[in-house]
Amino acid sequence: MKTKITQMLGIQYPVFQGAMAWIADAELAAAVSNAGGLGIIAGGAAPVTVVQQEIRRAKELTDQPFAVNIMLLNPTADALAQLVIDEGVPVVTTGAGSPAKYIKQWKQAGIKVIPVVASTAYARRMERMGVDAVIAEGMESGGHIGETTTMALLPQVIDSVDIPVVAAGGIADGRGLAAARLFGAEGVQCGTIFLSAKECNISEQYKQMIYKANDISTVVTGRASGHPVRSLKSPLSRKLVQMEGHIETRTLEEIEAMTAGSLRKAVQDGNYEEGTFMSGQIAGLVKDNSDCKTIIETMVHEAEILLRNAPSRIG
Amino acid sequence: MKTKITQMLGIQYPVFQGAMAWIADAELAAAVSNAGGLGIIAGGAAPVTVVQQEIRRAKELTDQPFAVNIMLLNPTADALAQLVIDEGVPVVTTGAGSPAKYIKQWKQAGIKVIPVVASTAYARRMERMGVDAVIAEGMESGGHIGETTTMALLPQVIDSVDIPVVAAGGIADGRGLAAARLFGAEGVQCGTIFLSAKECNISEQYKQMIYKANDISTVVTGRASGHPVRSLKSPLSRKLVQMEGHIETRTLEEIEAMTAGSLRKAVQDGNYEEGTFMSGQIAGLVKDNSDCKTIIETMVHEAEILLRNAPSRIG
């Protein structure tokens, strides 16, 4: 499957693996890149030396292009912005803020810059800034989200910019990829499906919760503090929902104290009671453990069949 | 465009017009049915005599099949359930509750029954009950909504039932229809795009707000009371969002008092300050006034072109 994105990045398939903090490490990213997609290392809030190690480990594990995601509001953003140049990382995706002050140096270094956007206004702003593409992410995604859904956001972003658009949110199989291509997206970014990958180093507790999830297993918390996050319903997320309904008597500080470290508790410790198990609404389609190569090739193969047979859907 | 739904209902195009309370009257429904789609009269909370008048007016305006939507939690539900039989209405869509106690008499009367569902569990329950199809409605829709988006809900519902599935939420053009068909939906239901129809009798204020809307113009209120509603950002919805953030000091009764009659105020009076202007997130794609025939034919024509050319998207 050749698209503007596969050609721009020199990858085989237009499938990105989302940058999940604490989860998207060198092993996962390299497995995705070796499978022909674009693996992405999550910079997250990790120390710069840790991200550097992950980048170097990824280079050992794959000779294919991979990306690093930088959360621009994090205090390490400046250092990471320089690190990706020093390490010769070919692609950077960005979230949570504007990459304005890094664009020039990144472009000079030949880095492809692809921000995640949750609105048409932001997509247009990024295009004017000179980025290479945008990832339009719907609110069905796991982790930090906006408010507009993929079905509503994708066509409106595509109508708003001339650069390639990658679709994210609610995509876990060939149907999602095929639909995204039909809308005019040049690729997709998937998070939740890669939680099930054999190369994804998360706790068995987390994996089992993903396999058991259905279409209404996720919940959004943090709207009260202006940082909405989607995760699986769990003891912690249920407690947060309750507390957020009584924001007068419980302070935001209390809520922050409860969530601090909760993603690590989910990913590394499999702590059911206190963990935040981030997941998209599409988790219900994720039923078993597979390797990245199988996940991507199955998705692309299904999408190709659907697109090839699409004329029969006219009836 | 022939699908299981067009064949089941004897309509030309697999496009339903959503049952918008206070809005979807005989004129709009008949215009949609005359254009080859399925027009739907919103029973809403209207008195039975009013719905009867609308049904009879629709029969005068069209000889094509049309539907009546019954909100099952409304006190008039029993009377409306009988009315559709007495008036020989060929199709009933249902929302807000279970149609269990009416299914037998409706089926005996030859009525096709198509509930709106917001989860796979409810879709399966409806299928076991013997309904003819379900409308899987994503939370990007206007008005009363669930929590799962179209992109996530549609494939999961399609995997869960064997009866035809109609996609709703975030669909306003041929791209949405084509994508829905690719997912395996047998049709689509659209609300917001029909607000722009020449045959849609809403205030000019309401129409202008729809034309000016973009991808982030809507907001969800009422989550606090368990009845989330999506509408355009407006003086009233902004006030509700504020009040819902301080639910301890403002009672739900106060909020209910503020919203009572607010949909009528939007639809009939164009009262910007006090109206609830329900709208889906796809409003940003709705830019001008057109008639139902043009809306539907343009949508179907675009979808056919996309589906015909889909094999080229493989690359």
Side-chain angles (χ1 to χ4, degrees):
Chain A
M1 189 175 279
K2 276 193 192 68
T3 74
K4 287 177 187 168
I5 281 288
T6 62
Q7 285 163 342
M8 176 192 293
L9 305 181
I11 57 179
Q12 192 177 357
Y13 302 121
V15 179
F16 294 10
Q17 154 256 313
M20 300 168 281
W22 284 98
I23 298 172
D25 60 7
E27 190 179 346
L28 180 60
V32 169
S33 289
N34 281 331
L38 182 73
I40 306 181
I41 295 169
V48 175
T49 51
V50 170
V51 181
Q52 186 177 43
Q53 278 169 24
E54 292 301 311
I55 293 171
R56 292 183 179 179
R57 202 152 65 94
K59 285 184 201 161
E60 283 169 21
L61 294 170
T62 185
D63 55 3
Q64 296 299 308
F66 64 89
V68 170
N69 175 264
I70 303 181
M71 299 295 280
L72 296 158
L73 291 180
N74 277 345
T76 54
D78 279 351
L80 288 180
Q82 186 58 46
L83 178 68
V84 293
I85 294 171
D86 298 341
E87 293 291 333
V89 174
V91 186
V92 166
T93 66
T94 66
S98 168
K101 64 175 174 170
Y102 310 122
I103 293 281
K104 199 178 161 194
Q105 57 191 106
W106 284 345
K107 302 303 297 178
Q108 279 173 349
I111 294 175
K112 301 292 180 194
V113 184
I114 311 180
V116 176
V117 302
S119 71
T120 56
Y122 208 75
R124 278 192 298 265
R125 194 174 140 201
M126 292 298 111
E127 181 179 45
R128 282 195 301 270
M129 206 174 273
V131 306
D132 298 281
V134 291
I135 300 165
E137 188 180 77
M139 63 84 76
E140 48 271 84
S141 296
H144 289 85
I145 55 171
E147 285 293 349
T148 308
T149 74
T150 301
M151 199 81 174
L153 183 66
L154 184 58
Q156 297 188 66
V157 168
I158 285 173
D159 287 350
S160 299
V161 297
D162 293 322
I163 51 178
V165 176
V166 174
I171 300 169
D173 66 10
R175 289 176 290 187
L177 171 55
R181 291 289 293 134
L182 214 59
F183 272 113
E186 300 293 335
V188 297
Q189 175 167 291
C190 307
T192 308
I193 182 74
F194 286 111
L195 292 176
S196 73
K198 287 197 168 76
E199 299 92 340
C200 182
N201 297 310
I202 58 172
S203 62
E204 186 59 24
Q205 172 69 36
Y206 200 159
K207 295 216 176 198
Q208 290 299 327
M209 284 169 74
I210 292 290
Y211 303 151
K212 284 175 193 150
N214 64 26
D215 53 303
I216 56 167
S217 291
T218 70
V219 65
V220 179
T221 57
R223 280 204 180 99
S225 64
H227 297 288
V229 167
R230 183 180 302 286
S231 64
L232 294 172
K233 289 172 186 169
S234 71
L236 177 59
S237 64
R238 284 200 187 87
K239 215 174 289 177
L240 290 170
V241 168
Q242 275 192 322
M243 286 171 74
E244 290 175 5
H246 301 271
I247 206 75
E248 296 300 299
T249 47
R250 306 283 195 133
T251 67
L252 288 177
E253 285 72 23
E254 273 183 278
I255 289 175
E256 272 166 31
M258 280 177 66
T259 54
S262 64
L263 180 55
R264 186 188 53 70
K265 286 178 188 169
V267 172
Q268 296 191 340
D269 310 342
N271 182 335
Y272 178 66
E273 292 297 327
E274 297 175 356
T276 294
F277 298 83
M278 292 186 182
S279 166
Q281 288 186 338
I282 206 67
L285 288 188
V286 182
K287 290 298 170 209
D288 56 10
N289 200 258
S290 199
D291 55 45
C292 289
K293 189 169 189 296
T294 307
I295 290 171
I296 293 174
E297 288 183 353
T298 303
M299 185 182 296
V300 173
H301 182 65
E302 277 179 12
E304 286 181 349
I305 292 173
L306 278 170
L307 291 168
R308 193 168 297 123
N309 296 333
S312 71
R313 300 283 189 173
I314 297 171
Chain B
M1 190 175 276
K2 276 193 192 67
T3 73
K4 286 178 187 169
I5 281 288
T6 62
Q7 287 165 338
M8 177 193 292
L9 305 181
I11 56 178
Q12 193 178 356
Y13 301 121
V15 180
F16 294 10
Q17 153 258 314
M20 301 169 279
W22 283 97
I23 298 171
D25 60 7
E27 191 179 345
L28 180 60
V32 169
S33 290
N34 280 331
L38 182 74
I40 306 182
I41 295 170
V48 175
T49 52
V50 170
V51 181
Q52 186 177 44
Q53 279 169 22
E54 292 302 309
I55 292 171
R56 292 184 178 177
R57 203 153 64 96
K59 285 183 200 163
E60 283 168 23
L61 294 170
T62 184
D63 55 1
Q64 296 299 308
F66 63 90
V68 170
N69 176 264
I70 303 181
M71 300 294 280
L72 296 156
L73 292 179
N74 278 345
T76 54
D78 279 351
L80 287 179
Q82 185 59 46
L83 179 68
V84 293
I85 295 171
D86 296 343
E87 293 291 332
V89 173
V91 186
V92 167
T93 66
T94 66
S98 167
K101 64 175 174 169
Y102 310 122
I103 294 281
K104 198 178 162 194
Q105 58 191 103
W106 283 344
K107 301 305 296 179
Q108 279 173 350
I111 294 174
K112 301 294 180 193
V113 184
I114 310 181
V116 176
V117 302
S119 71
T120 56
Y122 208 75
R124 278 193 297 265
R125 196 175 139 201
M126 291 299 112
E127 181 180 44
R128 282 195 301 271
M129 206 174 274
V131 306
D132 298 281
V134 291
I135 300 165
E137 187 182 75
M139 63 84 75
E140 48 272 82
S141 297
H144 290 84
I145 55 172
E147 287 292 350
T148 308
T149 74
T150 301
M151 199 80 173
L153 182 67
L154 184 58
Q156 297 188 67
V157 168
I158 285 172
D159 287 351
S160 300
V161 297
D162 292 321
I163 51 176
V165 176
V166 173
I171 300 169
D173 66 9
R175 290 176 290 186
L177 171 55
R181 291 289 293 137
L182 215 60
F183 272 113
E186 300 293 335
V188 296
Q189 175 168 292
C190 307
T192 307
I193 182 72
F194 286 111
L195 292 176
S196 74
K198 288 197 167 74
E199 300 92 338
C200 182
N201 297 307
I202 58 173
S203 62
E204 186 58 25
Q205 172 69 36
Y206 200 159
K207 295 216 176 196
Q208 290 300 327
M209 286 169 72
I210 292 290
Y211 302 150
K212 283 173 195 153
N214 65 25
D215 53 303
I216 55 166
S217 291
T218 69
V219 64
V220 178
T221 57
R223 281 202 179 100
S225 64
H227 297 287
V229 166
R230 182 179 303 286
S231 64
L232 293 171
K233 289 172 185 169
S234 71
L236 177 60
S237 64
R238 284 200 186 86
K239 214 174 290 177
L240 290 171
V241 168
Q242 275 192 321
M243 287 172 72
E244 290 175 3
H246 300 271
I247 207 74
E248 296 299 299
T249 47
R250 306 283 194 134
T251 66
L252 288 177
E253 285 72 24
E254 273 184 277
I255 290 175
E256 271 167 33
M258 280 178 64
T259 53
S262 63
L263 179 56
R264 185 189 51 72
K265 286 178 188 169
V267 172
Q268 297 192 339
D269 310 341
N271 182 335
Y272 178 65
E273 292 297 326
E274 298 176 354
T276 295
F277 298 83
M278 293 185 180
S279 166
Q281 288 186 338
I282 205 69
L285 289 188
V286 182
K287 290 299 169 209
D288 56 9
N289 200 258
S290 199
D291 56 44
C292 290
K293 190 170 189 297
T294 307
I295 290 170
I296 293 174
E297 288 184 353
T298 303
M299 184 182 296
V300 173
H301 183 65
E302 278 177 14
E304 286 180 350
I305 291 173
L306 279 170
L307 291 168
R308 193 168 297 123
N309 296 334
S312 70
R313 300 284 189 173
I314 298 171

